[in-house]
């Protein structure tokens, strides 16, 4: 009997501590209670990887003039991007970069880069739900079903790592299906921890993560997923989920020059493991002006 109870407790304890003691009174919960049996991924890891690569390369090229310190150390990378820039046969719809943008020497905003690359842009604004605070909207373009539309930024904690003080009054902690936690709070102690870990892992001019999501102007326009609100049922206006969460482990061969756009960092770097990211994928077509809504109680893995 005791063994059975212990096994059941081991399976649930990381779901409720310390939020059971600290967040019972909070109406807005972002701690996701995931099912024991996982569902299939909405899109493949290869599709996630290729989308991130496409967007990050476009951001890199758009900010090409500020990448001199990286290009000077990695001449082979410089050659690769110069070939992309000088190629006249690449069509915009198939290209990771908009060559015309570079040739005209016009620097676009991250939102414009996202639109030029994937055909839509998103931004934070006041939610259409009463008392929901900030939400995320498609401000331009059209997002087809099965599209990576956002990322959940933050510090990544393994389930044995300390997060008690960071969790105090914190509604932005995301629980992955294997117990890994992502703290997407951009204020207070959570903000300080992320910045400290990010600067700890920087290798000379090479940034291993993006700190700009902590500001009002993120360098990576996808890194606003922590502000996507929960769907509402039984309340007016009723909003069904149009995106879902999908976990993605960044492979070791991810281009080093593009890691500066990853909005996640591990809390402890003493254990070799892939960086966990969580992306949001559309469940249906989403039109311009629509707000993104997720389901806080499901994770696709």
């Amino acid at each position: 009997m005791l063994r059975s109870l212990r096994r059941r407790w081991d399976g649930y304890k990381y779901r409720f501590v310390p939020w059971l003691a600290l967040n019972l009174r909070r109406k807005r919960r972002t701690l996701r209670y995931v099912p024991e049996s996982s569902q299939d991924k909405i899109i493949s890891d290869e599709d996630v990887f290729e989308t991130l690569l496409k967007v990050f390369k476009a951001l890199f090229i758009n900010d090409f003039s500020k990448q001199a310190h990286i290009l000077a150390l990695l001449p082979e990378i410089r050659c690769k991007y110069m070939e992309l820039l000088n190629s006249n046969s690449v069509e915009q719809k198939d290209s990771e970069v908009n060559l015309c943008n570079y040739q005209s020497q016009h620097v676009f905003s991250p939102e414009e880069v996202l639109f030029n690359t994937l055909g839509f842009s998103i931004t934070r604004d006041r939610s259409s739900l009463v008392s929901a605070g900030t939400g995320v909207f498609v401000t331009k373009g059209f997002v087809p079903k099965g599209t990576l539309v956002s990322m959940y930024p933050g510090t990544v904690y393994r389930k044995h790592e300390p997060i008690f003080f960071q969790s105090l009054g914190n509604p932005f902690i995301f629980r992955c299906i294997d117990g890994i936690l992502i703290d997407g709070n951009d204020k207070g102690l959570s903000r300080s921890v992320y910045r400290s870990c990010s600067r700890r892992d920087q290798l000379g001019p090479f940034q291993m993560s993006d700190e700009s999501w902590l500001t009002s102007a993120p360098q990576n326009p996808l890194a606003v997923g922590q502000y996507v609100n929960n769907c509402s049922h039984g309340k007016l206006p009723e909003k069904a989920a149009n995106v879902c969460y999908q976990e993605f482990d960044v492979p070791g061969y991810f281009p080093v020059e593009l890691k500066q756009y990853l909005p996640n960092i591990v809390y402890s770097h003493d254990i070799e493991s892939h960086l966990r990211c969580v992306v949001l994928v559309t469940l249906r077509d989403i039109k311009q002006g629509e707000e993104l809504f997720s389901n806080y109680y499901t994770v696709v893995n």
Side-chain angles (χ1 to χ4, degrees):
M1 182 64 176
L2 290 177
R3 288 184 179 179
S4 176
L5 289 174
R6 178 170 293 179
R7 283 197 298 270
R8 293 179 67 181
W9 169 244
D10 287 341
Y12 286 96
K13 60 183 178 181
Y14 291 109
R15 297 182 182 185
F16 299 103
V17 180
W19 300 271
L20 182 63
L22 301 171
N23 289 328
L24 280 178
R25 295 183 181 179
R26 298 191 68 87
K27 293 182 178 179
R28 184 192 181 205
R29 290 195 183 178
T30 53
L31 175 63
R32 283 79 177 177
Y33 297 93
V34 297
E36 293 297 332
S37 57
S38 62
Q39 306 173 26
D40 291 333
K41 291 177 180 288
I42 297 297
I43 60 176
S44 68
D45 281 347
E46 290 74 18
D47 287 339
V48 173
F49 177 81
E50 290 301 325
T51 300
L52 294 181
L53 211 60
K54 191 173 186 179
V55 174
F56 291 1
K57 282 185 177 180
L59 291 170
F60 187 89
I61 290 296
N62 187 64
D63 204 24
F64 199 70
S65 61
K66 297 181 180 179
Q67 306 295 339
H69 53 297
I70 292 178
L71 300 174
L73 293 175
L74 299 174
E76 67 279 6
I77 290 180
R78 179 180 179 86
C79 291
K80 178 179 69 173
Y81 285 100
M82 289 306 298
E83 288 177 2
L84 288 173
L85 291 169
N86 295 327
S87 174
N88 294 322
S89 61
V90 181
E91 297 182 4
Q92 179 176 336
K93 65 179 181 179
D94 295 325
S95 175
E96 295 89 344
V97 296
N98 188 332
L99 301 181
C100 294
N101 294 352
Y102 176 77
Q103 292 170 351
S104 63
Q105 296 182 345
H106 176 75
V107 178
F108 285 82
S109 70
E111 292 76 18
E112 290 173 323
V113 172
L114 181 62
F115 177 78
N116 292 337
T117 307
L118 297 184
F120 66 87
S121 60
I122 58 174
T123 192
R124 293 173 284 187
D125 204 346
R126 181 179 293 276
S127 176
S128 59
L129 297 178
V130 178
S131 302
T134 302
V136 178
F137 293 81
V138 176
T139 52
K140 189 177 180 181
F142 171 80
V143 191
K145 177 182 178 180
T147 300
L148 189 162
V149 71
S150 185
M151 301 181 71
Y152 198 102
T155 306
V156 180
Y157 294 83
R158 300 173 187 87
K159 55 186 179 181
H160 66 276
E161 293 177 329
I163 194 175
F164 179 84
F165 291 106
Q166 295 91 312
S167 73
L168 293 172
N170 185 354
F172 292 104
I173 295 178
F174 184 101
R175 183 191 187 276
C176 296
I177 203 167
D178 58 359
I180 286 178
L181 303 174
I182 301 179
D183 183 1
N185 193 355
D186 56 12
K187 297 178 177 62
L189 179 59
S190 300
R191 173 189 179 92
S192 299
V193 169
Y194 185 93
R195 295 184 70 179
S196 176
C197 293
S198 178
R199 294 171 186 182
R200 172 203 66 197
D201 289 356
Q202 183 170 342
L203 298 175
F206 298 99
Q207 297 178 356
M208 297 295 104
S209 63
D210 175 24
E211 291 185 29
S212 67
W213 69 272
L214 298 169
T215 72
S216 59
Q219 184 179 11
N220 173 3
L222 295 172
V224 294
Q226 79 277 33
Y227 284 105
V228 173
N229 281 305
N230 191 29
C231 57
S232 64
H233 294 291
K235 298 180 181 180
L236 294 177
E238 186 167 306
K239 302 289 185 179
N242 52 21
V243 298
C244 69
Y245 301 95
Q246 180 169 318
E247 299 170 21
F248 172 71
D249 288 336
V250 179
Y253 52 84
F254 196 86
V256 66
E257 75 275 12
L258 301 181
K259 289 185 177 181
Q260 61 183 292
Y261 303 110
L262 289 171
N264 298 98
I265 194 73
V266 293
Y267 176 75
S268 177
H269 68 304
D270 57 347
I271 301 176
E272 289 294 331
S273 63
H274 293 296
L275 175 66
R276 173 65 52 82
C277 290
V278 171
V279 299
L280 287 82
V281 180
T282 54
L283 295 171
R284 62 168 175 82
D285 295 346
I286 302 178
K287 300 177 182 178
Q288 180 174 321
E290 287 193 71
E291 184 175 358
L292 303 184
F293 291 102
S294 62
N295 189 330
Y296 283 179
Y297 296 94
T298 59
V299 172
V300 179
N301 184 25

